[in-house]
Amino acid sequence: VDLMTNAANYAPLTPVSFLPRTATIHPDRIAVIHGARQYTYRQFYDRARRLASALARRGVHADNIVSAMLPNVPAMAEAHYGVPMLGAVLNTINTRLDAATIAYILEHGEAKVLITDREFAAQVGPALAKLKRRPLVIDVDDELYAGAGERLGKVEYEEFIAGGDPNFEWVPPTDESSAIALNYTSGTTGNPKGVVYHHRGTFLEAVGNIMARALAPRPV
């Protein structure tokens, strides 16, 4: 009796909580290295909050889809925290897909925002041209990429997050079963199939991976 879920005995599980915890305990440890750039955990957390704030100012809110067509760059890491800080859903797109498949995913998922690297302009440009409704396009112009590819949007990522608040007050999901990610199959027959992941599941998967790695036998 009187032991129902309440603020004193329950907090929704979300992997977003890993970042503020680490930024509090190890604020000056290096979190991200990308070429000459290095970010501490404090800076990483600030940048993720800037992204969340900037997206919120553009009208992104809970359950909206934010797609990302990115290689392993800081913006991708930041999107994994900044997007769910709003309760929005992150849709990372396989960078090996063709324009028609990318267009289908953006259309089917109803992406409100697309964060895309200039490296993939040859696929993403034609994909955007196929859409009935074009999302807000944020370009990542990675200084380590010197190849071909044009910007497709009106704002570059660093400029976009510079307008965000590093002290943005995000709140955890009230329901840990809320969606955190939308992934699509690739290489299958027919159109890609969408799969939704929730906050609780991704939290437990992350913790499980850490435990499994610790228990794995060491090579001899």
Side-chain angles (χ1 to χ4, degrees):
V1 178
D2 298 327
L3 293 178
M4 299 300 292
T5 297
N6 59 68
N9 64 19
Y10 169 78
L13 297 181
T14 174
V16 182
S17 64
F18 296 141
L19 182 54
R21 178 183 184 278
T22 308
T24 299
I25 299 172
H26 303 295
D28 298 319
R29 289 193 180 182
I30 299 300
V32 177
I33 299 175
H34 186 65
R37 281 196 282 167
Q38 293 188 358
Y39 299 127
T40 64
Y41 277 102
R42 180 192 290 114
Q43 292 170 320
F44 183 17
Y45 185 32
D46 287 350
R47 287 174 61 85
R49 283 186 290 178
R50 283 186 181 275
L51 173 59
S53 172
L55 289 171
R57 291 176 181 179
R58 291 297 187 102
V60 176
H61 52 74
D63 298 327
N64 284 163
I65 302 297
V66 176
S67 295
M69 182 82 166
L70 299 169
N72 190 19
V73 294
M76 180 63 104
E78 292 155 12
H80 276 77
Y81 290 95
V83 172
M85 282 178 182
L86 296 173
V89 182
L90 180 63
N91 164 230
T92 58
I93 301 175
N94 187 333
T95 58
R96 297 175 178 84
L97 297 178
D98 59 24
T101 308
I102 295 168
Y104 175 83
I105 290 172
L106 293 172
E107 192 89 50
H108 184 266
E110 299 181 359
K112 186 162 186 173
V113 177
L114 171 63
I115 307 173
T116 180
D117 195 289
R118 186 171 60 82
E119 179 179 354
F120 308 117
Q123 302 119 278
V124 176
L128 291 172
K130 297 176 181 291
L131 301 181
K132 298 175 182 177
R133 183 185 60 82
R134 182 185 174 102
L136 168 66
V137 177
I138 303 169
D139 291 299
V140 173
D141 194 354
D142 180 18
E143 67 271 19
L144 298 186
Y145 175 70
E150 61 182 333
R151 294 187 186 181
L152 302 172
K154 296 182 179 179
V155 63
E156 202 277 329
Y157 181 81
E158 293 297 329
E159 175 189 350
F160 182 74
I161 68 169
D165 181 2
N167 298 310
F168 179 72
E169 293 290 340
W170 65 279
V171 293
T174 55
D175 182 358
E176 61 186 16
S177 295
S178 298
I180 190 173
L182 171 64
N183 294 343
Y184 281 84
T185 60
S186 58
T188 58
T189 57
N191 290 323
K193 315 303 188 293
V195 179
V196 177
Y197 293 81
H198 53 54
H199 284 256
R200 176 183 173 85
T202 49
F203 178 97
L204 294 176
E205 182 67 21
V207 173
N209 285 340
I210 295 169
M211 295 174 66
R213 181 176 177 83
L215 295 173
R218 294 184 179 181
V220 295

